[in-house]
Amino acid sequence: MTAAPQTRERRRLRGLPGFYAVVMRTAVQSQFQYRTANYLYMLGMIAEPVVYLVVWSAVADAQGGAVEGITAGEFAAYYIVWTLVRNMNVVFTPYGWEQRIRQGELSGQLLLPVHPLHYDLAYFAGWKFVVILLWIPIAAVLTLVFSPVFDVTALELLVFVLAIWGAYLIRSLLLEALGMITFWTTRVSALYQLWFTAELLLSGRLLPLALLPGWAQTVAAWSPFPSTFGFPIEALVGNLSTGQLWAGIGVQLIWIGVGTLLATGVFRLGVRRYGAVGN
Amino acid sequence: MDAASRSDQPAIRVRDLRKTFRVAERDAGLAASIRGLVRRTHRDVEAVAGVSFDVASGEVVGFLGANGAGKTTMLKMLSGLLFPTSGEVSVLGHTPSRREREFLRRITLVMGNRNQLQWDIPALDSFEMNRAVYRIPDAEFRRTRDELVELLEIGDLVRKPVRNLSLGERMKAEIAASLLHRPQVLFLDEPTIGLDVTAQKRIRGFLAEYNRRTGASILLTSHYMADVQALCSRVVVIDAGAVLYDGGLRALTTRFSPHQTITVQLPEGVTDLSGYGEVVESSPDGRTSLRVPTAEASAVAARLLADHRVSGLTIEDPPIEDVIERVFAGRPSAPVPS
């Protein structure tokens, strides 16, 4: 290889895109190894929203067709989109960090000239393409069964596509930072359970945020949780104005910034305490 | 990098390096466990206690020590996994604990029990990931990959999912993955652990060849002395976190086991040779092994040849395993009658 093409090639490989592409491809390859497990996972994934959907549809029917103005068809739309957003929300969890640190599995990643955060972000982003592919038939079946009401504009669709990736980034970064507390505590599961409970209530996962009492909506508005769940869903199936749609993306950007600072800062401080035990 | 470009600067420079771990302690049992909820006791353990040494470019050094001596802790500090408590470390001019990308691109750490390959996909795909991680240009990557696959004879294995490989096969693939970026310093922690004799031999041969071709420095720990004997001209013996010996393998034998074994074969059969040295072994066919001080070995051999009709005679150093055992035991060689 002559010097000029080699320089061009080095330039092409500089930066992270090449790394992200390869890791995402690897994630897809790994996931495709277990087809049955993937389908079982997806079936497990829809059990939760179907329960919520059946309950809220029953409540809506009992109250004359709507709860706080949300009809059964709108509930169906909410929870069918929910299934996709939930899958976008699957990220490297604090349990993973606990295992990495307690068992020394982080050592292998620390030896690579790439921050472990990039590996996790790339790997789970790659995995999303597999779950989106598997989600399509499930969403089709749910649509046939529950008859959702969709009235989507092109702008809402665009904001939704941006928002689900924003949600992925926010949840990834914040849970990475939370998981890295294991550098100090060796175990972080209990803290994650606390986080999870708050997230369940304040994100729009358990129920649409509009159904929360006023004070809870105020608390939720100051937390990152709606940006990871409620906002992406509302962007597609709600009635948000153009200003509200872009404001939602703006809030997501702020939380991505906060998450980046937290994850990189906690890592920088915590890695000094890493004992590299067990490996 | 070729041998001609080796620098006069040491590839690795370590001065008064220390690492202290704070570990929680408690007695066994439920009561102690409950007490531990309220009052926890800790103890500082000095895993590395003031170690200093240099490793030159292209040098292969064996790092020897009993379990818990501090060898792996040293390697982890040298590769940037652990922050030292105090002291100085420089590897290829970098401070490892800063984990600069340029530093990480020039080293590798191979641990016999570590798995960096993706479990569910063929090793070739993991190699591809390393290409991206280390930003290796395509042509250089293909050349190095093919060379490593050929040297390690893993052409058939790299297409199978890693989970289907045996331990030895996986270890060879791990080593190939660790060297794709052609590191200039290799830290090898028990690279042949758990492998059969054939696989051990192949990996030893490969590492020697890699060192010859690239001029890389290698720091190796192993409990298999055959690894050390085959690869290392110099050893650093570490005990309780401190350097006990730093020098050649031959000199280690002389210093810690100042005796040799003379094995003599006499056609007349069993003969009492206890007057020449300590009889270690005697067989009915006239073969006798004697342990004698190294300084007197030549003279004793000459006396044996003069006094008896000898059909065979050899003078050997004791097995390196025995020498190391004595080093760790911290005791000199037992007095030998002469």
Side-chain angles (χ1 to χ4, degrees):
Chain A
M1 185 181 253
T2 61
Q6 200 166 30
T7 309
R8 271 203 300 278
E9 188 159 23
R10 279 190 191 281
R11 198 174 295 132
R12 182 172 68 79
L13 292 166
R14 195 168 291 145
L16 288 170
F19 171 75
Y20 268 76
V22 172
V23 175
M24 287 167 77
R25 199 169 64 219
T26 304
V28 172
Q29 288 168 333
S30 296
Q31 289 308 313
F32 277 148
Q33 294 288 315
Y34 299 105
R35 283 174 303 179
T36 311
N38 278 325
Y39 273 107
L40 289 174
Y41 162 81
M42 290 301 293
L43 288 173
M45 255 326 192
I46 61 167
E48 185 185 344
V50 166
V51 169
Y52 299 151
L53 183 50
V54 169
V55 168
W56 285 112
S57 297
V59 173
D61 287 341
Q63 294 191 1
V67 181
E68 298 285 329
I70 305 172
T71 64
E74 286 167 340
F75 273 122
Y78 187 92
Y79 284 109
I80 289 170
V81 176
W82 184 107
T83 54
L84 179 60
V85 174
R86 172 71 191 101
N87 275 303
M88 292 302 293
N89 261 297
V90 174
V91 299
F92 192 78
T93 65
Y95 296 128
W97 269 100
E98 192 175 291
Q99 182 171 329
R100 272 181 179 169
I101 292 172
R102 286 182 67 200
Q103 299 188 13
E105 291 171 10
L106 183 61
S107 300
Q109 289 190 307
L110 289 180
L111 290 167
L112 301 177
V114 175
H115 199 295
L117 264 176
H118 286 302
Y119 178 82
D120 295 341
L121 287 174
Y123 191 89
F124 278 83
W127 190 46
K128 299 303 172 211
F129 291 99
V130 179
V131 294
I132 289 171
L133 202 66
L134 295 171
W135 170 81
I136 291 169
I138 288 168
V141 171
L142 288 175
T143 301
L144 284 174
V145 174
F146 292 101
S147 308
V149 174
F150 282 111
D151 181 16
V152 181
T153 65
L155 177 66
E156 284 173 339
L157 188 62
L158 171 70
V159 170
F160 172 72
V161 171
L162 294 175
I164 54 174
W165 286 102
Y168 167 67
L169 277 177
I170 295 167
R171 196 161 193 267
S172 287
L173 292 165
L174 292 177
L175 288 187
E176 293 267 353
L178 190 72
M180 289 175 203
I181 291 175
T182 313
F183 280 124
W184 288 269
T185 60
T186 316
R187 283 195 172 182
V188 79
S189 314
L191 193 59
Y192 179 43
Q193 284 302 319
L194 200 64
W195 171 283
F196 179 72
T197 307
E199 183 185 50
L200 195 65
L201 287 168
L202 301 176
S203 66
R205 175 170 171 172
L206 194 62
L207 72 174
L209 287 169
L211 300 182
L212 287 176
W215 65 267
Q217 288 190 34
T218 307
V219 173
W222 287 95
S223 78
F225 303 127
S227 288
T228 63
F229 230 102
F231 169 65
I233 301 174
E234 293 290 344
L236 194 68
V237 303
N239 294 310
L240 301 181
S241 66
T242 303
Q244 286 173 315
L245 287 172
W246 290 117
I249 294 289
V251 172
Q252 280 196 323
L253 288 173
I254 291 169
W255 282 114
I256 289 170
V258 171
T260 305
L261 286 175
L262 277 174
T264 53
V266 175
F267 181 82
R268 197 171 297 128
L269 292 173
V271 77
R272 300 179 69 94
R273 300 177 57 90
Y274 181 56
V277 291
N279 231 324
Chain B
M1 179 178 147
D2 58 26
S5 66
R6 290 174 196 173
S7 153
D8 291 336
Q9 294 292 318
I12 302 170
R13 185 174 184 277
V14 177
R15 291 291 177 274
D16 198 24
L17 190 64
R18 291 171 191 275
K19 179 67 185 178
T20 304
F21 291 105
R22 192 153 189 259
V23 292
E25 277 189 332
R26 70 165 176 82
D27 294 329
L30 182 62
S33 170
I34 293 167
R35 274 198 305 275
L37 282 174
V38 184
R39 189 168 173 272
R40 192 151 293 190
T41 54
H42 291 90
R43 185 167 64 95
D44 286 339
V45 176
E46 197 166 36
V48 174
V51 167
S52 300
F53 63 87
D54 288 340
V55 175
S57 263
E59 195 176 12
V60 185
V61 177
F63 221 47
L64 306 179
N67 290 331
K71 308 182 299 290
T72 303
T73 303
M74 277 294 309
L75 290 194
K76 285 174 177 172
M77 284 194 283
L78 290 172
S79 57
L81 288 182
L82 285 177
F83 274 66
T85 304
S86 66
E88 288 174 37
V89 194
S90 170
V91 177
L92 299 168
H94 298 268
T95 302
S97 57
R98 290 187 188 146
R99 299 182 51 256
E100 294 156 320
R101 282 181 199 151
E102 193 50 38
F103 163 71
L104 294 170
R105 282 196 191 107
R106 297 170 72 191
I107 66 143
T108 198
L109 168 66
V110 176
M111 300 179 101
N113 55 356
R114 186 170 71 84
N115 186 12
Q116 67 154 308
L117 298 168
Q118 295 283 317
W119 195 246
D120 294 318
I121 55 176
L124 274 180
D125 288 324
S126 288
F127 293 171
E128 190 62 30
M129 194 145 83
N130 278 22
R131 181 194 64 74
V133 167
Y134 291 100
R135 297 175 194 175
I136 309 166
D138 285 342
E140 186 183 317
F141 167 73
R142 278 195 296 273
R143 196 169 54 242
T144 310
R145 181 196 61 193
D146 294 347
E147 191 181 311
L148 290 169
V149 166
E150 187 194 330
L151 275 171
L152 286 159
E153 294 185 355
I154 52 174
D156 295 336
L157 309 177
V158 291
R159 287 175 178 80
K160 293 183 191 171
V162 170
R163 67 171 187 273
N164 291 343
L165 301 180
S166 71
L167 173 66
E169 291 170 341
R170 203 170 71 230
M171 197 59 218
K172 285 193 272 189
E174 288 279 353
I175 288 178
S178 303
L179 300 179
L180 281 168
H181 59 293
R182 291 191 169 265
Q184 289 163 260
V185 172
L186 278 63
F187 300 112
L188 308 174
D189 191 18
E190 304 281 358
T192 58
I193 195 165
L195 303 188
D196 64 40
V197 177
T198 313
Q200 286 179 26
K201 201 171 167 188
R202 177 154 297 284
I203 284 177
R204 267 178 228 134
F206 166 76
L207 290 171
E209 180 64 13
Y210 183 86
N211 168 254
R212 191 189 63 74
R213 283 194 194 184
T214 65
S217 306
I218 299 178
L219 196 51
L220 163 96
T221 79
S222 180
H223 284 112
Y224 298 124
M225 293 314 298
D227 288 351
V228 178
Q229 283 175 302
L231 292 166
C232 310
S233 53
R234 176 184 155 207
V235 293
V236 174
V237 180
I238 190 165
D239 189 38
V243 173
L244 207 60
Y245 173 84
D246 183 350
L249 253 183
R250 179 76 184 84
L252 176 76
T253 306
T254 310
R255 177 166 159 189
F256 286 94
S257 185
H259 68 264
Q260 289 180 305
T261 303
I262 298 178
T263 302
V264 60
Q265 179 81 46
L266 302 178
E268 60 261 37
V270 180
T271 308
D272 180 14
L273 298 178
S274 57
Y276 296 90
E278 180 191 358
V279 177
V280 180
E281 194 182 348
S282 179
S283 59
D285 63 352
R287 190 166 169 272
T288 306
S289 294
L290 301 165
R291 199 157 71 125
V292 299
T294 303
E296 297 169 19
S298 303
V300 172
R303 276 172 52 210
L304 279 165
L305 289 166
D307 298 347
H308 300 273
R309 199 160 58 86
V310 174
S311 58
L313 185 144
T314 59
I315 304 176
E316 290 173 308
D317 286 326
I320 190 71
E321 284 86 350
D322 291 358
V323 178
I324 295 296
E325 195 181 328
R326 284 178 192 283
V327 175
F328 297 154
R331 54 185 162 82
S333 183
V336 178
S338 59

